[in-house]
Amino acid sequence: MATITIEDGIFHKLTHDDTDVMTIVVKRVYPLLLPPTPVLPALVYQRISSPRVHTHQGAAGGGLAYPRFQFTAWGTTFPS
C-alpha cells in the first residue's frame, strides 16, 4: 500500500473535491513555486513548519506533528 502524505491530500482536495476552487484554478495547483510561464489564476502551497508534539518521555504518538501550510493565490487582477 502506498504512503499518502498530507501534501498529496491537499493537492487532491484542491483539484478533485473542492468544486469552488476547481472552478477558478482548474488543476493549476502547484507545490512550492509557480512554473516559469504559468497560466493564471493558480494556487501554490508549501509546508512552512512541522512542529512535533513532545512529552516528558520524548516524542508523542510516533512523531505526531502539527504541520503549518502557506497557500498563495495568483491572479491576473487585483480585487478593488
Side-chain angles (χ1 to χ4, degrees), residues 9-16 18 21-22 26 29 43 71:
I10 288 170
F11 180 81
H12 188 272
K13 180 73 175 171
L14 293 174
T15 58
H16 292 87
D18 193 320
V21 172
M22 289 170 41
V26 188
V29 178
L43 290 174
F71 295 86

Side-chain angles (χ1 to χ4, degrees), residues 10-30 34 38-45 71-76:
I10 288 170
F11 180 81
H12 188 272
K13 180 73 175 171
L14 293 174
T15 58
H16 292 87
D17 296 340
D18 193 320
T19 55
D20 293 332
V21 172
M22 289 170 41
T23 300
I24 297 169
V25 299
V26 188
K27 293 196 182 250
R28 296 181 300 268
V29 178
Y30 306 100
L34 283 175
V39 175
L40 300 178
L43 290 174
V44 176
Y45 64 94
F71 295 86
T72 306
W74 294 88
T76 56

Side-chain angles (χ1 to χ4, degrees), residues 31-78:
L32 303 176
L33 300 169
L34 283 175
T37 55
V39 175
L40 300 178
L43 290 174
V44 176
Y45 64 94
Q46 65 180 346
R47 185 185 292 233
I48 300 300
S49 67
S50 294
R52 301 283 176 187
V53 176
H54 292 279
T55 67
H56 291 292
Q57 288 80 32
L64 180 64
Y66 289 100
R68 291 184 332 146
F69 284 84
Q70 175 177 308
F71 295 86
T72 306
W74 294 88
T76 56
T77 61
F78 187 81

